[in-house]
Structure formats: structure tokens, C-alpha cells
Amino acid sequence: MKEIINTDKAPQAIGTYSQAVKVGKTVYLSGQIPLVPETMEMIEGTFEDNVRRVFDNLTAVCEAAGGTLQDIAKLNIFLTDLGNFAKVNAIMAEYFEQPYPARAAVQISALPKDAEVEMDGVLELP
């Protein structure tokens, strides 16, 4: 049985998807871009500000599902410039403790709303 996860502390879905779907103790997190939940506008600032906003959005959805970022088993990172990967790595260390989740990072040509970064993942609740 699926449970739809929704919180106003993260951006609302801008398409035909849910913020997350919980099946048993597994939560599938939809992609988050650096949208400000209250305005649904892209955050202004540096690339690093964008990455932190994405992690903050993911945190809100994880918490709405009953977990934390630390419960993420698999994190996928999509970048429009893989040259920013070291910056993402440094910021990720601010949000995660060891053991770190499994992860993939790929460069793609474009993201919704011209975002430079998007992340999704799979969360396993304790």
C-alpha cells in the first residue's frame, strides 16, 4: 500500500507527481530543485546557496515521512555542470554524517526552471 507524503515546508509538486511516496518503510523522494517553498520561486544566490536549498527541501520531505536525511540510502544528484561536483561534496558533508548514503552524480543538459542542481533519493525508515 502506498502513502503519499506531502509537506508545505518543501516546494509543492509542479507536475504530475508527489513530493514522496512511502511503501512500507521505504520512501521514494521526488527530485527537489532550489525552489523556496513559500514563494515557489527559485532561490537567489550562489550555486552553494542553491545546493543548500535543495538539501533543506529534501530534509523537509524526509521529516514529513518520519525520517531524516541520515536515513537516505541512495541519493541521486543531477548537475548541469559537473565542474560543481566538489562544491556539492563539501556542502553534503555539512548535512550528512558517516556512514554516507550510496550516491550517483551525473551531468545533464537541463533541469526544470533552469536549475543548476536537482536531487532525489530513496529513504529507508528505521
Side-chain angles (χ1 to χ4, degrees), residues 18 27 31 50 54 75 83 88 91 110:
S18 300
V27 181
N50 281 254
V54 170
L75 181 68
V88 172
I91 295 167

Side-chain angles (χ1 to χ4, degrees), residues 3-92:
E3 178 185 344
I4 303 304
I5 306 300
N6 188 46
T7 177
D8 60 1
K9 295 180 181 175
Q12 297 305 302
I14 55 174
T16 54
Y17 63 92
S18 300
Q19 289 174 329
V21 176
K22 180 179 171 186
V23 180
K25 289 187 170 193
T26 304
V27 181
Y28 301 91
L29 303 167
S30 290
Q32 289 289 332
I33 59 175
L35 287 172
V36 176
E38 297 81 12
T39 64
M40 291 299 292
E41 299 292 328
M42 296 289 285
I43 191 170
E44 293 184 22
T46 65
F47 176 79
E48 292 86 350
D49 294 333
N50 281 254
V51 172
R52 286 185 180 92
R53 178 76 259 167
V54 170
F55 278 128
D56 291 345
N57 291 344
L58 286 173
T59 297
V61 178
C62 288
E63 289 174 353
T68 70
L69 278 182
Q70 285 302 125
D71 297 317
I72 291 179
K74 176 66 163 60
L75 181 68
N76 298 306
I77 302 170
F78 306 95
L79 300 165
T80 57
D81 181 358
L82 205 51
N84 285 322
F85 183 65
K87 294 175 185 176
V88 172
N89 244 357
I91 295 167
M92 188 172 167

